[in-house]
Amino acid sequence: MQYWKLTSGNHGFKEQFHSFISAILNIGTSDVSDSESIKRIRFTNAIGASVSLMVCVIAPIYFAFTHNKVMLAAAAVDALVALSVLPLNHYKQHLTASLVIYFLQCFAVLAFGVILGGVLQLQFMIVFLITILYLMFKNKALRIFCLVSAILTLAVLQTIYYLNSVELQPIGLGTGYIIQSLALAGVLFLILVVSKPYVHSNDYYPELERANRFKKIFIYQISHELRNSLNQVYLAANLLKQEALLDENLKKNEYLIDMLRYSSIEAKNIVNNVLSMSRIESGMVEPTVPTTFYTKAFFEKSVAVYRLMARSRTLTVKLMIDNSMPEIMVGDPLKLNEVINNLMGNAIKYAHKNSTIYLRITGSGKTYHLEVTNKGESIPMEKLTAIFDPFVTNKSNRNIEGTGVGLSLVKRVVTSMGGKVAASSPMPEHTMFTVVLPLQAGKAEDIIEEEDEMDIFDCSLKIVLAEDNEMNSLLLSKLLQKLGCKVITTPNGQEALEAIEKHSPDLIILDSEMPVMNGEQTLLKLKADNNAIPVIIATADAFAENQGRFTTAGAAAILSKPIEPKELAKVLNQHVKRRCDDLLQSQ
């Protein structure tokens, strides 16, 4: 029984010790999303804490042999300054912290070299500094500056040793040997601290690589199957919506059709979030594409779908755009929509019934604030920062579904646009998410007007559609027929080639995954035969690198499932308008 208590106590102490070390290493990493930056911050914390610990162990031993107060004072300053990297990192002064610990060691080497003369050979400390500068700094110019500084420090130290003209503390041979051994042990300790995480990481790299490969395969398979099913639901809902506008009997069920459409949109957003997170984790961050647009029209369009979605849950959505916002602004519409989709979807999901959700847009000098506020269960204070971590939710209510991916994605997307996001509880039972982004006013002449792509077709287009899924084939062909097209359907690429040769279509739509001959193989065969008919690839594969293969093979456009009717019409218009004009002129 006593043995159990002893081992249990040791086990508890070990856990507390590991927690303490982890807390020190992670100081300043809470709001950092980039894994490389987190590694550098942890590395700087580790060096600062280790140098301070090393000095605190060696200095008292040295003082016991020499009673040198100057050396003790210098060591105390070295330890305190080394520890200063922890508060610097805490207050987000990450570069300053790295520079402080690096140049502190350069100055410490010179100071101890002056005090001890040639007794303590400190060249190996300079070699250590040269080694770690590539781990501490990312900027190439800064690396070169630090390298030159270390070499100059080494040159000055060698000059001191060569001249042997400065030695403030004469010590005996035995004492010098002990001090040198302690210094060497200290450097070895620093090397172990630095190298252990990288050796550990290298040991597990093959397993991590294999796990990431399996994860990518899993995400691909799941997303592919989900997107195909979502495509069927979404296309069916859109076709029903069109029928309801013309059929009085269907109009009474229009709200059910809208619920079906918006549920499929919400499901699509969840799948897109998972895929976006997967791409970001792989280091593939989409670049920000500045576009000029009308401020009010953009945000009105963004929240329109959520007004209808909220109505089905007895909620109200109010958009308020402050007069401080310019009439025309520059931003990335795709990334802004991604942020709004997740924040509005989250607000609707957690809002109390019969309440109002507010989206406020206000300008503030060179930035603007996008605030989404809802009335619902308050987020505990301890979760307000952690809520942006992956797979963290506030699901005390088990009836509320959620993956915990959306807010993490919001933070990453906002950061990629040079902004910040925060959560707060301005009053009881209210939660507000605030996004701060750079504000740039735009000019009217830079706006590219979009025409209504759904009303462009005034001639019959002949299209060969290759799709092995019968439901997808039926729904997509019906949608194309609604757009005024004549459709010949085939279940695979081989039969599509035969239909193309027989019917000479104006355009070809190929599903990417089919038996006998898939979309890519069919496309390559068409291009090898110098076939100039535009080919559109419809795919449930959302990975950019895979879609790039289709473009390289000669695809005129890529349609991601679930297919948006307006996007389909836009693509058709882009690639067959010239052909359509030729047909009209020949009539």
Side-chain angles (χ1 to χ4, degrees):
M1 185 69 176
Q2 290 178 345
Y3 171 76
W4 181 86
K5 286 182 179 179
L6 180 63
T7 55
S8 178
N10 288 339
H11 182 68
F13 172 77
K14 187 177 179 181
E15 284 187 347
Q16 289 177 359
F17 178 75
H18 282 300
S19 297
F20 175 71
I21 297 297
S22 179
I24 290 176
L25 294 179
N26 287 314
I27 289 174
T29 62
S30 58
D31 294 328
V32 181
S33 57
D34 179 51
S35 59
E36 286 299 317
S37 298
I38 290 173
K39 282 182 181 178
R40 294 182 196 281
I41 295 168
R42 287 173 57 88
F43 184 82
T44 302
N45 289 338
I47 293 293
S50 300
V51 166
S52 182
L53 177 64
M54 180 183 73
V55 171
C56 288
V57 170
I58 294 174
I61 298 174
Y62 174 83
F63 183 74
F65 281 99
T66 64
H67 303 288
N68 186 341
K69 294 180 181 180
V70 174
M71 181 69 173
L72 190 64
V77 171
D78 189 16
L80 288 173
V81 178
L83 276 180
S84 71
V85 302
L86 300 180
L88 283 171
N89 274 331
H90 175 74
Y91 289 107
K92 311 305 177 189
Q93 302 299 315
H94 305 308
L95 180 58
T96 303
S98 299
L99 290 171
V100 164
I101 192 63
Y102 189 84
F103 284 100
L104 169 67
Q105 297 318 301
C106 290
F107 288 125
V109 165
L110 290 177
F112 293 135
V114 167
I115 294 171
L116 297 173
V119 175
L120 189 60
Q121 299 295 313
L122 292 168
Q123 297 94 328
F124 48 77
M125 190 64 188
I126 300 295
V127 175
F128 173 74
L129 289 175
I130 292 173
T131 304
I132 67 170
L133 73 88
Y134 293 98
L135 302 175
M136 293 184 74
F137 304 106
K138 187 177 182 180
N139 183 273
K140 186 177 179 180
L142 194 55
R143 285 176 173 175
I144 293 172
F145 176 70
C146 291
L147 177 62
V148 171
S149 300
I151 292 171
L152 287 174
T153 303
L154 180 61
V156 173
L157 185 67
Q158 285 294 97
T159 303
I160 292 171
Y161 288 162
Y162 176 74
L163 298 175
N164 200 24
S165 57
V166 183
E167 187 176 346
L168 301 181
Q169 176 62 47
I171 54 178
L173 183 63
T175 304
Y177 176 77
I178 293 172
I179 294 171
Q180 196 168 46
S181 298
L182 287 171
L184 182 60
V187 174
L188 288 174
F189 171 68
L190 287 176
I191 292 172
L192 287 173
V193 168
V194 169
S195 61
K196 184 180 177 182
Y198 292 92
V199 172
H200 189 268
S201 175
N202 188 63
D203 288 343
Y204 283 96
Y205 179 76
E207 293 181 23
L208 289 172
E209 192 176 44
R210 186 164 57 251
N212 280 329
R213 187 168 64 251
F214 286 142
K215 182 181 74 173
K216 186 173 180 178
I217 293 170
F218 173 76
I219 291 174
Y220 171 79
Q221 293 291 347
I222 294 299
S223 66
H224 187 274
E225 295 305 320
L226 283 175
R227 281 177 173 272
N228 267 316
S229 299
L230 282 172
N231 188 57
Q232 296 167 15
V233 175
Y234 191 63
L235 289 180
N238 276 283
L239 288 168
L240 282 171
K241 179 70 174 178
Q242 292 178 30
E243 292 291 336
L245 295 174
L246 303 173
D247 190 332
E248 290 294 331
N249 293 325
L250 282 175
K251 275 192 175 180
K252 61 184 179 182
N253 293 319
E254 194 172 1
Y255 76 99
L256 292 174
I257 298 170
D258 286 337
M259 288 177 66
L260 183 64
R261 288 177 66 212
Y262 302 137
S263 294
S264 61
I265 290 172
E266 194 173 3
K268 181 183 73 171
N269 288 340
I270 292 171
V271 174
N272 287 342
N273 285 347
V274 174
L275 291 170
S276 295
M277 283 293 292
S278 177
R279 281 195 289 266
I280 290 170
E281 285 182 355
S282 301
M284 296 182 293
V285 180
E286 293 287 335
T288 299
V289 181
T291 305
T292 306
F293 52 84
Y294 288 106
T295 305
K296 185 176 180 181
F298 170 78
F299 287 109
E300 284 283 1
K301 186 177 179 181
S302 296
V303 301
V305 66
Y306 292 101
R307 281 200 171 105
L308 293 169
M309 194 181 295
R311 193 183 305 163
S312 68
R313 302 188 184 188
T314 64
L315 300 170
T316 304
V317 171
K318 284 190 177 181
L319 171 65
M320 292 179 286
I321 302 176
D322 193 74
N323 292 331
S324 57
M325 289 295 292
E327 184 182 349
I328 299 169
M329 62 182 289
V330 178
D332 189 326
L334 290 178
K335 288 191 173 185
L336 274 174
N337 268 322
E338 199 166 14
V339 171
I340 292 169
N341 287 344
N342 280 290
L343 291 180
M344 291 300 295
N346 191 74
I348 290 172
K349 187 187 302 177
Y350 291 101
H352 288 332
K353 287 186 177 181
N354 303 311
S355 63
T356 301
I357 296 163
Y358 296 93
L359 172 59
R360 294 182 180 89
I361 316 293
T362 56
S364 178
K366 294 183 178 180
T367 62
Y368 70 98
H369 293 223
L370 188 154
E371 297 174 352
V372 177
T373 309
N374 74 332
K375 183 180 181 181
E377 188 175 343
S378 297
I379 301 175
M381 288 297 295
E382 63 271 13
K383 272 194 175 184
L384 283 176
T385 53
I387 200 74
F388 293 104
D389 295 338
F391 311 113
V392 173
T393 65
N394 187 36
K395 289 198 292 184
S396 55
N397 182 354
R398 294 182 177 271
N399 294 320
I400 297 176
E401 298 294 334
T403 60
V405 172
L407 292 179
S408 176
L409 181 64
V410 165
K411 182 179 178 180
R412 291 174 186 246
V413 173
V414 168
T415 302
S416 74
M417 291 192 287
K420 296 179 180 179
V421 61
S424 60
S425 292
M427 62 185 76
E429 293 191 329
H430 283 76
T431 301
M432 181 169 71
F433 288 92
T434 304
V435 174
V436 182
L437 291 167
L439 177 60
Q440 181 183 346
K443 300 177 182 178
E445 56 265 30
D446 294 331
I447 295 177
I448 301 174
E449 297 288 349
E450 292 186 6
E451 57 182 321
D452 189 354
E453 308 288 352
M454 298 299 289
D455 299 326
I456 60 170
F457 297 100
D458 51 5
C459 64
S460 178
L461 303 174
K462 193 186 298 180
I463 296 176
V464 166
L465 169 63
E467 168 67 75
D468 64 313
N469 186 294
E470 290 183 12
M471 185 66 75
N472 278 334
S473 179
L474 172 66
L475 293 168
L476 185 53
S477 63
K478 279 188 175 294
L479 181 58
L480 289 167
Q481 288 164 7
K482 290 275 185 184
L483 292 171
C485 302
K486 181 182 178 182
V487 186
I488 300 101
T489 60
T490 60
N492 58 64
Q494 183 61 54
E495 293 188 30
L497 292 174
E498 296 170 3
I500 292 164
E501 187 176 354
K502 181 179 178 181
H503 297 283
S504 299
D506 303 307
L507 190 132
I508 304 160
I509 300 178
L510 302 175
D511 182 41
S512 59
E513 297 291 334
M514 295 183 290
V516 184
M517 184 180 284
N518 64 30
E520 185 178 5
Q521 293 168 340
T522 309
L523 176 60
L524 290 171
K525 181 71 171 72
L526 287 167
K527 297 306 172 184
D529 294 340
N530 295 317
N531 194 309
I533 301 171
V535 178
I536 297 171
I537 298 290
T539 177
D541 183 352
F543 285 98
E545 61 269 31
N546 294 337
Q547 292 190 2
R549 293 204 325 269
F550 302 131
T551 305
T552 304
I558 311 292
L559 282 174
S560 293
K561 296 178 181 178
I563 295 171
E564 176 67 46
K566 284 191 176 183
E567 187 63 27
L568 172 63
K570 182 179 179 180
V571 169
L572 291 177
N573 184 42
Q574 289 172 347
H575 296 286
V576 301
K577 196 171 185 180
R578 184 178 298 173
R579 173 63 174 163
C580 186
D581 290 341
D582 293 340
L583 288 173
L584 285 172
Q585 291 173 6
S586 66
Q587 290 179 354

